[in-house]
Amino acid sequence: MNKNKPDNSKSLACVFCRKNDDCPNKYGEKKTYEKWNFSVHYYCLLMSSGIWQRGKEEEGVYGFLVEDIKKEVNRASKLKCTVCKKNGASIGCVVPQCKRSYHFPCGLQKECIFQFTDNFASFCWKHRPVQAITSKYRDSLPCTICLEFIEPIPSYNILQSPCCKNAWFHRDCLQVQAINAGVYFFRCTLCNNTDIFQKEMLRMGIHIPEKDASWELEENAYEELLQSHDRCDVRRCHCKEGRDYNEPNSKWEVKRCHCCGSSGTHLACSSLQSCEQNWECLDCRRISYNPDFRKASKHPLANSTNVTVTDCLLEESSPKLPRQSPGAQHKELLRQGNKFRRDISTILVELGAQIKKKAKRLYINKASVWKSALEQFQSQRFNPSCTIEVVYVNENEKFGREHPGSKQEFLSHLMQHLETSPLFEGPLSKNLTLNSQALKENLYYEAGKMLAISLVHGGPAPGFFSETLFNCLAYGPENTLPILDDVSDFDVAQIIIKINTAANLNSLNSVINECYSYLEVIGCLRLITTLSDKYMLVKDILFYHVIKRVQAPFESFKQGLKTLGVLEKIQTYPEVFYNILCHKPENLSAKILSDLFTVQGLPDVQTLRFWNSYLQAIEDGKSATTMEDILIFATGCSSIPPAGFKPSPSIECLHIDFPVGNKCNNCLALPITNTYKEFQENMDFAIKDALRLEKEEESRSLPWTLKDTSNEEMLL
């Protein structure tokens, strides 16, 4: 058997389908054999009805003897394709009463099913197997591979997982993944089930090649595993040298998680006394708290009692055995994966394209930012897709003068008010509360709308979502598992801790009897027969208290986030939005701020040198002013918005006594001075004085007046 040449591969058509296409993803690998002067697609050969694999693997073509191939081509030449009406239809429907014959590409076009297992049966478009749906879904759901939204209705191109009823896939996505993963790694993307999942996918016509995964065959694919982790990964790193700084035998030595070793912390950042003290990262602590995850059963590749998919592929003798498919599709899988690795600023800029040039003026009272913003957003004349212009008004002034305001400053104040509002609970990572008055006034919806508007219109991100709240938004409450940190109610947390720490069955029943009324009210009473039942009870309580109890506020908040298409983007690119919704921005550095501001007008070399020295002095802790203070003074924001500043921040050098910040234009005017000391003193005085006045004005703002109605009695 000779090796195939690329030129011949393109010139010779497949002897069965008569197509020149070399598309391994659709038709299997195309081979050209000079010795016999023909080309053949692997799938066309494999699915032909009148040929069997009688030779060894190294004989003929994939084990099919050449004389058998010629006989099959001759047989097919007398059969007309039901689709294209041309001769050479080598594949027939397996249903005895059906007389349809077709070429393999024509069968794909008409959405026939080809089963790459057992006797390699094919089913025409009238008799193909279908999936029965067990429940109806009203909303679109994402394909769990490419994350694009699809209608959850089983069809030829849309398949449902047999083991996870809320997992849906594009057929093309599944086929690419199967080719790259192979029989040993192709499994359900949600629950990792192999046996049931592969059996159903083979039934529905997905080809699962008998080979190792393509990523296992890459050279140096796991080289990074040989490198130790030396970086601080805690939410707030206090090291001035940065997260990558590691000084042994000091408080800035990096300690790795003793469970996974793939996360680290500076000793000082996690209040560790010495490097001998054990430390667990957040993910490992969650797994430790939920023992059910540690005891998850593994799915074997073969089962000795039941006939599984792997039995069929590896052990059963079959007249046709699928051979390894080429690894070229790995690039296609990477392409589909990279499709969703988007930059957050790019996504928000795309959403911002729907904002119209027509401006909507918002009249905001700084003494009651939340109240006046709520009035403006609830107005029937407000359109979130219009450009926002902010005007500050003071009701206490006699003449009611209006002052132009910064949109970014207003949105920044609004996010701060929202974070401290009674709509959310928790110290740093917050979840939704249950407040009947806020629900009645539709405030959860307005809060979601405000967040969406802030992101798209160039304001800051909230940065205070708990991971549980984010997962509910991105993946759905049914796919989210709350943790103890999500419980802000002290009494409920104590009940969970008592149940979880019960050492024996008697003490567990004692705790349940003690809180019997509470468990009965929330519907979490269950029959306890073994000590391990406590883990399911804890799960039930957590799910009720954190998710089910706040279902109405969550749905309202979710509807608000749909404003300007933000929620859809969160669900499409969850890994990108996670960073800005759940984490505060990184601390500003001298370099970041220096690069952020561009020089306008005629530059003064000495003043610019003073400016850079001033930034460095702040970073070294030699000034009472902070980087955030400078940014607030110039733009009204304490951090760089995810969508970036518009217009871009700028500095100019002027003959003035003190610096001036123009928040509407994001411009900072620097004073031209004779000495650096004078420059620093003038900068410190003006910035700190301006911020002091702003804080005094904010302290006079109206507080929230909503009454807390989150008790279980109010719920019932």
Side-chain angles (χ1 to χ4, degrees):
M1 183 172 65
N2 296 334
K3 296 291 182 181
N4 48 317
K5 292 184 179 180
D7 292 338
N8 291 341
S9 176
K10 293 180 180 178
S11 60
L12 287 177
C14 172
V15 292
F16 287 107
C17 69
R18 310 309 302 168
K19 283 184 175 290
N20 291 323
D21 303 35
D22 187 5
C23 184
N25 195 38
K26 280 188 175 182
Y27 311 134
E29 188 177 11
K30 183 184 179 186
K31 288 283 189 179
T32 298
Y33 299 91
E34 293 180 345
K35 184 177 180 180
W36 302 299
N37 192 32
F38 73 81
S39 291
V40 63
H41 290 126
Y42 177 45
Y43 293 169
C44 292
L45 177 61
L46 202 63
M47 300 308 303
S48 292
S49 302
I51 189 171
W52 308 103
Q53 190 182 42
R54 297 194 300 124
K56 297 180 181 179
E57 185 173 352
E58 63 275 8
E59 290 185 280
V61 183
Y62 299 111
F64 293 88
L65 301 180
V66 175
E67 55 267 28
D68 290 344
I69 295 176
K70 291 180 178 179
K71 289 179 181 178
E72 177 64 6
V73 171
N74 184 56
R75 183 191 71 85
S77 65
K78 303 171 185 177
L79 300 174
K80 184 176 291 187
C81 176
T82 314
V83 181
C84 69
K85 309 303 180 184
K86 296 179 181 179
N87 291 339
S90 62
I91 306 171
C93 180
V94 74
V95 178
Q97 298 83 2
C98 183
K99 304 302 180 184
R100 293 184 179 90
S101 297
Y102 34 83
H103 303 100
F104 185 83
C106 295
L108 289 181
Q109 179 186 339
K110 288 292 288 184
E111 300 182 348
C112 297
I113 293 290
F114 301 96
Q115 294 180 344
F116 294 87
T117 183
D118 294 333
N119 291 323
F120 294 82
S122 67
F123 297 85
C124 72
W125 54 95
K126 292 291 185 181
H127 301 112
R128 69 188 182 202
V130 296
Q131 289 186 306
I133 187 170
T134 56
S135 57
K136 294 184 178 180
Y137 296 83
R138 294 182 180 178
D139 299 329
S140 298
L141 294 175
C143 167
T144 60
I145 297 176
C146 73
L147 302 182
E148 287 187 359
F149 277 81
I150 54 181
E151 292 300 323
I153 301 174
S155 63
Y156 177 79
N157 292 312
I158 306 298
L159 299 178
Q160 184 184 30
S161 171
C163 40
C164 297
K165 299 305 180 184
N166 55 346
W168 295 80
F169 312 90
H170 292 107
R171 172 180 290 272
D172 292 341
C173 294
L174 274 172
Q175 187 58 78
V176 171
Q177 180 162 316
I179 290 175
N180 284 274
V183 68
Y184 304 107
F185 291 93
F186 184 56
R187 57 195 63 184
C188 178
T189 54
L190 291 188
C191 70
N192 283 335
N193 179 280
T194 301
D195 301 336
I196 300 174
F197 185 75
Q198 285 193 5
K199 189 173 183 180
E200 175 66 5
M201 292 305 112
L202 283 169
R203 186 180 76 90
M204 296 308 298
I206 300 299
H207 177 220
I208 311 172
E210 180 191 340
K211 66 162 199 168
D212 210 344
S214 56
W215 56 83
E216 295 283 344
L217 305 176
E218 290 182 11
E219 187 177 358
N220 298 325
Y222 304 101
E223 186 177 6
E224 67 275 6
L225 297 180
L226 302 177
Q227 302 173 0
S228 59
H229 189 87
D230 292 317
R231 189 176 190 273
C232 180
D233 299 302
V234 297
R235 177 174 295 179
R236 291 179 180 260
C237 177
H238 304 294
C239 182
K240 292 183 179 180
E241 300 295 330
R243 294 183 177 272
D244 295 320
Y245 183 71
N246 183 17
E247 183 181 352
N249 302 321
S250 74
K251 66 178 182 179
W252 302 120
E253 180 176 358
V254 173
K255 170 72 176 177
R256 288 185 288 275
C257 172
H258 77 98
C259 292
C260 67
S262 59
S263 294
T265 177
H266 290 120
L267 298 181
C269 295
S270 293
S271 302
L272 299 178
Q273 301 303 317
S274 68
C275 205
E276 284 74 27
Q277 186 176 348
N278 284 336
W279 176 79
E280 291 181 351
C281 65
L282 182 60
D283 291 336
C284 290
R285 284 204 300 272
R286 289 172 180 169
I287 295 174
S288 299
Y289 177 72
N290 294 282
D292 290 352
F293 286 120
R294 296 202 303 269
K295 300 177 181 178
S297 59
K298 297 180 180 179
H299 300 283
L301 283 176
N303 190 314
S304 59
T305 57
N306 299 322
V307 177
T308 63
V309 171
T310 48
D311 292 330
C312 298
L313 292 180
L314 302 180
E315 298 175 7
E316 287 188 359
S317 59
S318 174
K320 303 177 185 178
L321 280 178
R323 302 299 177 206
Q324 284 193 6
S325 295
Q329 284 77 18
H330 182 55
K331 293 182 180 179
E332 177 66 17
L333 184 65
L334 289 178
R335 184 191 67 77
Q336 291 197 10
N338 288 331
K339 180 180 177 182
F340 299 97
R341 293 172 189 165
R342 303 283 303 282
D343 182 76
I344 184 63
S345 60
T346 304
I347 296 172
L348 295 179
V349 168
E350 289 177 358
L351 288 176
Q354 60 189 306
I355 298 177
K356 305 171 185 176
K357 292 184 179 180
K358 181 181 179 181
K360 171 60 181 176
R361 182 167 291 186
L362 302 182
Y363 295 91
I364 305 299
N365 185 352
K366 272 195 173 183
S368 55
V369 172
W370 167 261
K371 182 180 178 181
S372 52
L374 196 60
E375 291 175 352
Q376 298 290 311
F377 285 164
Q378 287 181 328
S379 171
Q380 293 183 353
R381 302 177 64 182
F382 176 73
N383 186 348
S385 61
C386 289
T387 300
I388 292 177
E389 287 185 359
V390 175
V391 175
Y392 287 127
V393 295
N394 192 339
E395 297 175 353
N396 296 327
E397 290 187 2
K398 292 183 179 180
F399 302 102
R401 286 182 296 177
E402 300 177 356
H403 308 279
S406 163
K407 174 184 65 176
Q408 289 166 326
E409 180 188 34
F410 157 66
L411 293 173
S412 182
H413 285 311
L414 190 58
M415 290 301 101
Q416 293 171 13
H417 279 268
L418 204 56
E419 184 173 2
T420 58
S421 74
L423 302 178
F424 297 91
E425 62 182 7
L428 295 175
S429 300
K430 298 179 180 292
N431 289 294
L432 291 171
T433 61
L434 177 61
N435 192 301
S436 60
Q437 184 181 348
L439 197 59
K440 183 178 179 180
E441 297 176 9
N442 208 23
L443 296 186
Y444 292 102
Y445 171 83
E446 295 298 333
K449 183 169 74 173
M450 289 175 182
L451 288 173
I453 289 173
S454 179
L455 290 174
V456 179
H457 283 266
F464 58 80
F465 282 16
S466 71
E467 189 169 336
T468 296
L469 176 56
F470 176 81
N471 288 340
C472 287
L473 292 169
Y475 308 110
E478 68 278 3
N479 297 318
T480 303
L481 185 66
I483 61 174
L484 183 60
D485 292 343
D486 294 317
V487 180
S488 298
D489 190 303
F490 177 79
D491 294 332
V492 175
Q494 288 302 305
I495 291 174
I496 294 173
I497 293 172
K498 287 180 181 179
I499 293 174
N500 197 54
T501 56
N504 52 59
L505 197 57
N506 290 333
S507 59
L508 177 59
N509 285 322
S510 176
V511 174
I512 293 175
N513 290 332
E514 182 182 332
C515 54
Y516 184 89
S517 298
Y518 170 73
L519 296 177
E520 186 179 31
V521 167
I522 67 174
C524 289
L525 279 176
R526 60 167 48 241
L527 180 63
I528 302 297
T529 57
T530 63
L531 185 61
S532 61
D533 290 339
K534 67 181 182 179
Y535 301 123
M536 287 305 300
L537 180 57
V538 166
K539 274 187 180 181
D540 291 345
I541 298 173
L542 283 171
F543 189 83
Y544 168 79
H545 186 82
V546 180
I547 295 179
K548 188 176 180 180
R549 182 176 64 96
V550 295
Q551 184 176 359
F554 173 76
E555 290 299 327
S556 182
F557 182 68
K558 184 178 172 183
Q559 291 299 317
L561 270 177
K562 289 184 178 180
T563 303
L564 297 173
V566 170
L567 179 63
E568 182 181 350
K569 292 296 184 183
I570 291 174
Q571 294 172 340
T572 305
Y573 308 103
E575 71 285 351
V576 178
F577 279 88
Y578 173 78
N579 293 324
I580 66 168
L581 296 181
C582 298
H583 296 294
K584 295 294 185 181
E586 294 285 342
N587 293 332
L588 296 171
S589 65
K591 185 179 186 311
I592 291 176
L593 218 57
S594 178
D595 294 341
L596 181 64
F597 285 88
T598 58
V599 181
Q600 298 289 337
L602 295 175
D604 184 86
V605 177
Q606 179 174 269
T607 302
L608 294 180
R609 189 169 65 248
F610 288 167
W611 162 250
N612 289 322
S613 299
Y614 181 63
L615 294 179
Q616 193 59 52
I618 294 175
E619 189 170 56
D620 295 340
K622 298 177 182 178
S623 173
T625 307
T626 65
M627 301 289 183
E628 289 72 20
D629 292 340
I630 295 177
L631 198 61
I632 293 173
F633 182 76
T635 67
C637 292
S638 60
S639 61
I640 301 174
F645 284 105
K646 191 176 181 182
S648 299
S650 62
I651 55 174
E652 55 182 341
C653 306
L654 300 176
H655 290 280
I656 51 179
D657 294 331
F658 297 98
V660 176
N662 186 339
K663 298 176 181 177
C664 293
N665 296 323
N666 299 326
C667 183
L668 174 62
L670 302 177
I672 298 177
T673 59
N674 295 322
T675 65
Y676 171 73
K677 183 179 180 181
E678 183 183 359
F679 179 88
Q680 182 182 19
E681 289 176 350
N682 291 352
M683 292 288 290
D684 284 343
F685 174 79
I687 292 174
K688 300 304 291 185
D689 188 59
L691 295 181
R692 178 184 59 81
L693 293 175
E694 286 187 8
K695 288 181 179 178
E696 290 177 357
E697 190 173 5
E698 288 177 14
S699 63
R700 294 193 296 268
S701 63
L702 296 177
W704 282 82
T705 57
L706 284 175
K707 181 181 178 182
D708 184 13
T709 56
S710 60
N711 295 331
E712 301 301 331
E713 291 81 1
M714 295 299 296
L715 174 64
L716 297 175

